Amino acid sequence: MRSSFALGILASALALTASAFDCKKAQVAGHTYDLSPLSREITLESNATTPPTLTSTRYVLNPCAPLKAEPDSVPEIDRCPNGAWACRLVTNFKKDEKPRITEVNAVAGKSSKDEPVLEAKTSGSDKPSEFHWIMKGAEVEKTVWSTDIKFVCNKSAKDQDLPTVVGFKDGVLSLEWAVPAACALGGGGDEKPPSDGDKEKKPVESSGGGFFSTMFSLFVVISALYLVLGVMYNYLIVRATGLDLIPNRAFWREFPYLCSDFTQHVWGMVNGRRRGGYSVV
């Protein structure tokens, strides 16, 4: 029981530091796209008459993150798999009978390690006006399902517009999504690349930001590992409970006083130098 508890804490801390697909800074053919306005779960549904029943096919997807876990009220067998970014659900309706889900499976994503691949089908130095969002899903009857979203740059559309289902064939869900978010940042791709003079003005700012960002990330990772490993040690080895789980609790309790003493000491040295090094007799 204790081991499971400690491992759960460690897994949660490491999950925070794992790399994830950044929808706000998606990279395609060397250009950056902000797909974050599309970060939401959407549902696409179509109905077909299948006498004596009605068959409904739903696709639930989020292009920026895995789907949220469904509530416990939904039977586990009828839920989308954990880690899915796109899910296909087929429901059968028959008069005077309760709806019955006949198919449910991941069309994109099947574990927490999966991330989409962004690919431009065209070549050249210009910003692509369209690109593909591709991700593999579950394997069904020896066929690996996948989702292929064709993003098209359309500044006159709205990011709230829904994608169009092109089809589902041989396990591949094909969608087309024309939205402003599919346009590269900085314009429609007709601006000139930065000159050498512009490049010379930016290295200090970009490298400085990257250095401090890296150091901050490293500090967060080390702090998380220190806390998690310290709690695990106190819980499993020392058998501590409550606040005693905090590693080096006595030191952290005295830390504010140590900082206060250090500040007073430095302030006293500064004031001493300002008096010129002599005292009045």
Side-chain angles (χ1 to χ4, degrees), residues 6-213:
L7 290 175
I9 296 178
L10 181 59
S12 301
L14 294 179
L16 295 175
T17 61
S19 61
F21 174 66
D22 189 353
C23 214
K24 191 173 181 65
K25 299 179 181 179
Q27 298 293 318
V28 183
H31 302 289
T32 303
Y33 295 77
D34 182 6
L35 301 179
S36 60
L38 310 178
S39 180
R40 64 187 186 277
E41 291 189 7
I42 63 172
T43 300
L44 308 173
E45 185 173 2
S46 62
N47 298 318
T49 302
T50 53
T53 65
L54 177 70
T55 300
S56 171
T57 302
R58 287 187 299 135
Y59 297 102
V60 184
L61 63 97
N62 186 339
C64 293
L67 301 175
K68 297 178 182 177
E70 298 190 64
D72 295 337
S73 58
V74 179
E76 186 174 357
I77 195 173
D78 293 338
R79 302 177 192 172
C80 292
N82 292 331
W85 292 52
C87 187
R88 182 175 186 263
L89 303 99
V90 179
T91 307
N92 188 260
F93 297 87
K94 190 174 183 180
K95 186 177 181 181
D96 301 329
E97 291 186 9
K98 186 179 180 180
R100 183 170 61 100
I101 295 180
T102 58
E103 291 184 45
V104 55
N105 224 323
V107 197
K110 55 184 178 179
S111 72
S112 59
K113 297 181 180 179
D114 291 333
E115 291 185 3
V117 175
L118 303 184
E119 178 182 346
K121 300 293 185 179
T122 58
S123 59
S125 58
D126 292 338
K127 296 179 181 177
S129 59
E130 61 183 49
F131 59 89
H132 289 253
W133 182 105
I134 302 172
M135 184 182 245
K136 293 182 179 180
E139 182 175 346
V140 181
E141 296 181 353
K142 298 183 179 181
T143 299
V144 178
W145 285 10
S146 63
T147 298
D148 185 343
I149 305 176
K150 179 182 178 182
F151 279 102
V152 180
C153 174
N154 186 350
K155 294 186 177 181
S156 62
K158 297 180 179 179
D159 287 324
Q160 290 72 31
D161 293 345
L162 298 178
T164 302
V165 178
V166 178
F168 180 76
K169 184 178 181 181
D170 298 329
V172 179
L173 171 61
S174 299
L175 305 173
E176 185 169 315
W177 208 344
V179 283
C183 302
L185 295 180
D190 53 355
E191 74 276 18
K192 297 180 180 179
S195 62
D196 294 338
D198 294 333
K199 293 180 181 178
E200 293 176 358
K201 298 177 182 179
K202 297 181 179 180
V204 174
E205 178 181 353
S206 60
S207 61
F211 171 77
F212 287 110
S213 176

Side-chain angles (χ1 to χ4, degrees), residues 193-240:
S195 62
D196 294 338
D198 294 333
K199 293 180 181 178
E200 293 176 358
K201 298 177 182 179
K202 297 181 179 180
V204 174
E205 178 181 353
S206 60
S207 61
F211 171 77
F212 287 110
S213 176
T214 302
M215 293 301 296
F216 179 75
S217 299
L218 184 61
F219 171 77
V220 171
V221 172
I222 293 176
S223 299
L225 289 176
Y226 163 78
L227 178 62
V228 171
L229 294 178
V231 169
M232 288 176 59
Y233 177 83
N234 290 337
Y235 188 82
L236 297 175
I237 307 301
V238 183
R239 305 290 181 177

